[in-house]
């Protein structure tokens, strides 16, 4: 079935004309039977289908709920993409959807693989830009580890600057101040830039500016 789907998509030059209601439901109801690669393909295929109403959106999310706890990072990210895509126009459920995808993504971000961590953190960065307060209690998840490569550290630094608020700002600035002495000069500069951007947004600019100096 997965091979046939792949072939049809190739022949049609895309999935838009193929994503019918009957086919989408048939694939989703059998998704656990597919290989991990095929599951990602099916979920991506479903993204091309426009749900008829909110009930159908919730039906899709219920069918794929357990995919969010899958061990394969690609399946988790594909499911996250689908959840965000199909709820784009239902603003009242955005917060619930963000809460639902947050925990699996944070778990993946702490993986031992820096490549996977970078991909997941890039997804989280998008969520942070949409809802900074969502991660105000989870800011320590974005602290840099000594073993993190530079590209992972840069993403984390930008996210720490985004999630800083009046409740966590001093802890975050204290952590960022430690990175200012990093042997990697670009990382040290990025940490100083992050502290400066926080100072511009906070009410107690004086204290953070003093720390920056």
């Amino acid at each position: 079935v997965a091979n046939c789907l792949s072939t049809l998509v190739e022949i049609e030059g895309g999935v838009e004309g193929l994503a019918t209601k009957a086919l989408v439901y048939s694939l989703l109801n059998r998704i656990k039977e597919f290989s991990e690669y095929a599951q990602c393909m099916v979920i991506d295929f479903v993204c091309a289908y426009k749900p008829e109403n909110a009930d159908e959106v919730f039906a899709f999310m219920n069918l794929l709920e357990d995919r969010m706890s899958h061990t394969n990072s690609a399946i988790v990210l594909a499911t996250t993409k689908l959840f965000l895509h199909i709820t784009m126009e239902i603003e009242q459920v955005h917060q619930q959807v963000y809460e639902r995808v947050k925990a699996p993504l944070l778990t993946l971000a702490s993986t031992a693989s820096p490549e996977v961590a970078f991909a997941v953190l890039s997804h989280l960065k998008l969520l942070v830009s949409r809802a900074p307060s969502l991660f105000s209690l989870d800011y320590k998840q974005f602290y840099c580890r000594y073993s993190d490569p530079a590209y992972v550290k840069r993403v984390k630094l930008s996210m720490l600057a985004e999630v800083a608020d009046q409740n966590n700002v001093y802890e975050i600035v204290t952590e960022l101040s430690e990175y200012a002495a990093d042997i990697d000069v670009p990382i040290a500069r990025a940490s100083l830039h992050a502290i400066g951007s926080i100072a511009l947004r906070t009410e107690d600019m004086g204290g953070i500016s003093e720390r920056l100096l």
Side-chain angles (χ1 to χ4, degrees):
V1 170
N3 290 338
C4 288
L5 180 62
S6 179
T7 303
L8 283 169
V9 171
E10 188 70 25
I11 292 171
E12 292 291 326
V15 299
E16 285 72 17
L18 296 171
T20 62
K21 182 174 183 177
L23 182 54
V24 164
Y25 273 96
S26 174
L27 292 170
L28 285 181
N29 283 322
R30 300 173 58 191
I31 194 165
K32 294 179 183 178
E33 301 173 25
F34 291 99
S35 68
E36 292 178 344
Y37 175 81
Q39 287 185 43
C40 292
M41 185 171 62
V42 168
I43 295 169
D44 193 51
F45 178 80
V46 175
C47 280
Y49 175 75
K50 186 174 178 62
E52 296 176 352
N53 49 51
D55 290 340
E56 202 162 65
V57 169
F58 297 131
F60 284 178
M61 294 175 71
N62 288 334
L63 283 169
L64 293 169
E65 178 74 17
D66 61 342
R67 299 299 90 187
M68 288 300 297
S69 55
H70 201 282
T71 55
N72 186 295
S73 58
I75 292 176
V76 175
L77 293 178
T79 307
T80 298
K81 173 187 173 183
L82 177 63
F83 280 16
L84 295 175
H85 178 71
I86 62 179
T87 58
M88 189 72 72
E89 298 177 3
I90 313 176
E91 193 169 339
Q92 62 270 27
V93 302
H94 283 182
Q95 191 66 25
Q96 295 97 303
V97 174
Y98 295 160
E99 289 284 356
R100 180 63 193 88
V101 303
K102 180 178 77 168
L105 291 180
L106 286 175
T107 300
L108 281 178
S110 62
T111 180
S113 166
E115 294 84 1
V116 173
F118 178 78
V120 175
L121 286 167
S122 297
H123 281 69
L124 285 168
K125 186 176 179 181
L126 175 62
L127 290 184
V128 166
S129 66
R130 291 185 181 181
S133 61
L134 184 68
F135 297 91
S136 61
L137 298 177
D138 303 288
Y139 62 92
K140 290 185 179 180
Q141 298 277 353
F142 307 135
Y143 281 5
C144 296
R145 294 179 296 192
Y146 178 77
S147 58
D148 287 338
Y151 57 88
V152 170
K153 288 181 178 179
R154 281 195 291 270
V155 178
K156 287 184 173 181
L157 290 174
S158 65
M159 293 171 71
L160 283 171
E162 289 283 345
V163 301
D165 59 26
Q166 60 181 358
N167 297 316
N168 60 29
V169 64
Y170 291 108
E171 288 82 359
I172 288 177
V173 169
T174 299
E175 182 71 13
L176 289 172
S177 298
E178 295 293 326
Y179 306 149
D182 197 292
I183 193 171
D184 187 336
V185 175
I187 295 300
R189 287 176 176 166
S191 67
L192 293 173
H193 184 274
I195 295 172
S197 65
I198 291 172
L200 292 173
R201 296 198 335 262
T202 186
E203 295 179 2
D204 184 19
M205 183 187 294
I208 295 176
S209 298
E210 186 176 337
R211 180 73 64 84
L212 180 61
L213 292 172

